[in-house]
Each structure stands twice: as C-alpha cells, then as structure tokens.
C-alpha cells in the first residue's frame, strides 16, 4: 500500500500512518502538480491539501488510486463527482476545523467592527500624527446587533454560539432549514437570503464553495446590504465577487469587511490593500500548530479507517 502526501507537514500527526505504510512526503516544500502527476500511477492513496487540484486528468492517470484524503473540511479542489464515478472514496476533516475557523470569523468580525488592525497600523505608521481622542476612530457596535450567517453547517453553528454569547441576534440562510429543535437550541432564526441581507449588521459566509455559492455575494447583494453592514468571509474566496466588494467598500455601500480568503488565490486584489475598512488575513482559519497536527491525525484516521476498517472515515458523499 503506497501513500502519497502532496504537502509538507509536521510529522507528529502522521506517526501512526508512517509506522504502518510506505508514505511519501515532499521535503521542505509541497509537491507541484506536475510532480504528483508523474508519481501518482504508483500510489493507492493520495493525501491532498485544500488548494491542490485533484482533477479528471490526475484521476485518469492513477490506476491504483482508491482513496483521496483531503486535508480540509472543504473539497472544492477535488472533482468529487468524477472521483465517485470512478469508484474512489473521498474523505475530509470536518471536526478539527470547526472551532478554529469559527474563532477566526469572530476575530475578523470584532476587528472589522472595532477597527483594531486599522488602529494598530496607524499607530505604527503615523505615530504621533495619528488622530486619537474620544471622538476619533469610532467603531461599530457588536452586542445587540444582528449577525446573518450564510451556510449553517458545523462552522456556522459554532459561530452562532459565539455570537449568542456576545449578545448578538443570529439569523441564518442555508440550503435546508434546521429542525426547529436545533434552531431553538442554537437560538437562531431561518430567513431568506434577501431578508438576511436586508436585516443583518454583519454577514458571515460559512458555506462550501460550489457552483451554487459562486459569487453568492456580488454587486446586487452588496447593494441589498445595510450601508452600516460588515461582511466576513472565512469560507472560500470565490463566494464573493471581489471586484464588486472593492467598489462597495470604496463607495461606502457597506461599512467594512473581514476576509480570510480571496477570490483569485492566496492574495487579495491590490485595491483591497489600499482600503482601511477591510481586515485581511491569508487563509489562517485553521493555522495553529495544534490544529495542523490534529488535522493531520484526522487525515491519517481517514486513511487507516479506509484501509483497515477499524475506525470511522469522514466520507464525502456528493460534490
Ligand atoms: C480550510 O480551508 C478547510 O477547508 O478546512
């Protein structure tokens, strides 16, 4: 059984897998797509990172492949429909991702509302030329405000709990409405997307990236949001039309944004870097040492569970 890991990773999480199987890792960098393409015919299992494309071409070049174990809850990097059609299993790592991602969403929400990073940046760059005083640097309130969550899966629910604890009202929109018992427990109210955009003081995106969620926030949606609203995206960049967002932030159509993911890859549009009313982080939703290791363990559990049947596998059942 040969296992190919496309990314460089702390080995603690992979100890059990390495003790049982032949595992190939890149050293000090990730494998390129071309390298993986060359190697894949020999491998039974592919452990991919969320930004590594597992497409038809690669799957067709992998006669022995049985399992694609993604290091992420999201799997938009994988052609899941084709993989399943070819009889492959696809697995992901939802559990370890939930709390850290909800925490980053909350951090961006607070930061964008209270202008924490903006003030820090101005203190450093302007020094005593920065305007300070009780009437300067006014932020937006959080407690008592309404948070609209688009995508009420694990991360959306974890964020709802955090928002509730801060005294926010939580409304949500999702493909399916939750059972009433769960809504009551989470203290959340289901609304249409239009209602959510009209009512929310904060809109947080916590949905997977699919053809249906591409540009779920575009020009039209930004116009429907309150002028005082703040947009948070910790899901995937293409959920937001980033060009439209630049315009909305510049022209005051919405108040601010907090983004951990960008539409065109690892970096935001340069125009966003010029704006003070946006907080930007480079996809650090799960970026703690502990989470990195726990996610690696979850990948290994999926691989060993798949090969040996001794533990549950988090299977992706549909695209
Ligand atoms: C991170 O982005 C993930 O999908 O887990």
């Amino acid at each position: 059984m040969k296992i190919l890991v496309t990314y460089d990773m702390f080995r603690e999480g992979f100890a059990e897998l390495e003790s049982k199987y032949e595992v190939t890792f890149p050293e000090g960098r990730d494998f390129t797509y071309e390298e993986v393409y060359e190697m894949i015919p020999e491998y039974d299992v592919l452990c991919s990172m969320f930004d590594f494309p597992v497409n038809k071409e690669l799957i067709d070049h992998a006669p022995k492949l049985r399992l694609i174990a993604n290091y992420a809850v999201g799997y938009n990097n994988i052609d899941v429909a084709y993989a399943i059609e070819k009889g492959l299993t696809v697995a992901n790592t939802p559990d370890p991702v939930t709390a850290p991602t909800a925490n980053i969403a909350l951090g961006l929400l607070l930061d964008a509302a209270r202008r924490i990073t903006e003030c820090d940046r101005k203190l450093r760059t302007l020094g005593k030329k920065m305007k300070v005083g009780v009437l300067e640097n006014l932020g937006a309130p959080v407690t008592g405000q309404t948070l609209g969550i688009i995508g009420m899966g694990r991360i959306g629910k974890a964020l709802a709990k955090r928002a509730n604890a801060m005294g926010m009202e939580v409304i949500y929109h999702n493909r399916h409405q939750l059972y009433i018992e769960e809504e009551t427990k989470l203290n959340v109210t289901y609304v249409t997307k239009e209602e959510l955009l009209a009512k929310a003081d904060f809109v947080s995106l916590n949905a997977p990236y699919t053809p249906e969620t591409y540009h779920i926030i575009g020009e039209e949606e930004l116009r429907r949001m309150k002028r005082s609203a703040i947009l948070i995206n910790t899901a995937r960049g293409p959920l937001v039309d980033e060009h439209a967002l630049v315009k909305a932030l510049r022209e005051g159509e919405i108040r601010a944004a907090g983004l951990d993911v960008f539409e065109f890859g690892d970096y935001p549009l340069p125009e966003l870097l010029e704006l003070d009313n946006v907080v930007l982080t480079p996809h650090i939703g799960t970026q703690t040492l502990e989470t990195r290791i726990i996610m690696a363990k979850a990948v290994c559990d999926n691989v060993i569970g798949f090969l040996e049947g001794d533990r549950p596998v988090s299977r992706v059942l549909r695209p």
Side-chain angles (χ1 to χ4, degrees):
M1 221 29 89
K2 287 183 74 176
I3 297 162
L4 177 59
V5 181
T6 66
Y7 47 88
D8 193 23
M9 181 51 61
F10 306 115
R11 292 295 170 83
E12 286 96 313
F14 279 93
E16 187 184 358
L17 194 68
E18 286 198 277
S19 73
K20 294 181 166 201
Y21 298 101
E22 186 185 333
V23 188
T24 307
F25 281 97
E27 290 296 336
R29 64 178 181 89
D30 295 346
F31 281 132
T32 63
Y33 177 81
E34 289 70 26
E35 287 169 332
V36 172
Y37 186 83
E38 280 303 305
M39 289 186 277
I40 197 72
E42 298 302 315
Y43 286 86
D44 307 277
V45 173
L46 176 67
C47 298
S48 48
M49 183 52 72
F50 53 72
D51 56 358
F52 184 89
V54 185
N55 52 26
K56 281 195 176 93
E57 175 193 54
L58 192 72
I59 292 170
D60 282 341
H61 202 235
K64 293 189 180 162
L65 194 62
R66 293 168 58 202
L67 171 69
I68 303 162
N70 215 34
Y71 186 103
V73 63
Y75 41 82
N76 52 287
N77 57 308
I78 301 170
D79 189 336
V80 173
Y82 193 64
I84 291 174
E85 188 188 314
K86 289 280 161 186
L88 304 184
T89 294
V90 178
N92 68 345
T93 60
D95 288 344
V97 167
T98 304
T101 309
N103 291 341
I104 276 287
L106 182 62
L108 289 173
L109 183 157
L110 288 168
D111 192 328
R114 300 303 307 277
R115 305 170 65 175
I116 298 170
T117 303
E118 180 191 347
C119 284
D120 176 274
R121 182 169 56 245
K122 286 182 173 166
L123 274 174
R124 290 167 197 267
T125 55
L126 300 177
K128 291 196 172 156
K129 289 200 187 110
M130 179 185 175
K131 275 195 174 175
V132 297
V134 292
L135 299 182
E136 301 295 336
N137 307 304
L138 298 173
V142 174
T143 298
Q145 300 299 98
T146 298
L147 168 63
I149 297 179
I150 297 184
M152 199 47 123
R154 290 179 181 81
I155 298 169
K157 288 174 195 169
L159 179 61
K161 287 185 196 158
R162 286 155 174 74
N164 272 181
M166 291 196 304
M168 300 182 86
E169 190 188 327
V170 183
I171 56 179
Y172 76 99
H173 183 70
N174 196 43
R175 262 179 309 186
H176 310 292
Q177 185 170 354
L178 302 180
Y179 289 117
I180 187 84
E181 292 78 7
E182 199 170 19
E183 284 189 346
T184 307
K185 202 171 98 201
L186 288 169
N187 194 20
V188 297
T189 307
Y190 180 81
V191 290
T192 63
K193 182 179 156 197
E194 288 67 32
E195 233 178 305
L196 184 146
L197 295 173
K199 279 195 183 161
D201 300 298
F202 296 85
V203 173
S204 176
L205 304 181
N206 299 102
Y209 175 30
T210 65
E212 291 73 42
T213 60
Y214 173 72
H215 283 191
I216 198 167
I217 299 292
E219 209 177 312
E220 158 86 21
E221 287 77 14
L222 289 160
R223 225 181 351 241
R224 283 173 183 258
M225 286 167 67
K226 291 183 179 176
R227 289 183 83 80
S228 56
I230 295 179
L231 175 69
I232 307 299
N233 188 9
T234 54
R236 287 292 184 266
L239 269 63
V240 176
D241 178 343
E242 207 166 291
H243 287 286
L245 179 62
V246 167
K247 184 166 165 287
L249 288 169
R250 253 194 204 141
E251 296 178 3
E253 264 178 41
I254 65 166
R255 178 181 191 129
L259 308 176
D260 187 45
V261 284
F262 309 115
E263 182 171 4
F264 305 105
D266 291 341
Y267 297 95
L269 285 175
E271 293 91 321
L272 283 173
L273 301 175
E274 308 294 320
L275 296 172
D276 272 331
N277 56 344
V278 60
V279 186
L280 305 163
T281 50
H283 203 161
I284 58 168
T286 55
Q287 206 102 311
T288 69
L289 172 62
E290 291 73 12
T291 306
R292 284 282 159 267
I293 293 170
I294 299 170
M295 285 176 77
K297 284 204 173 112
V299 168
C300 293
D301 282 339
N302 281 335
V303 176
I304 299 169
F306 174 81
L307 295 175
E308 301 180 15
D310 64 340
R311 63 197 83 179
V313 175
S314 174
R315 283 172 204 266
V316 174
L317 298 177
R318 63 187 77 83

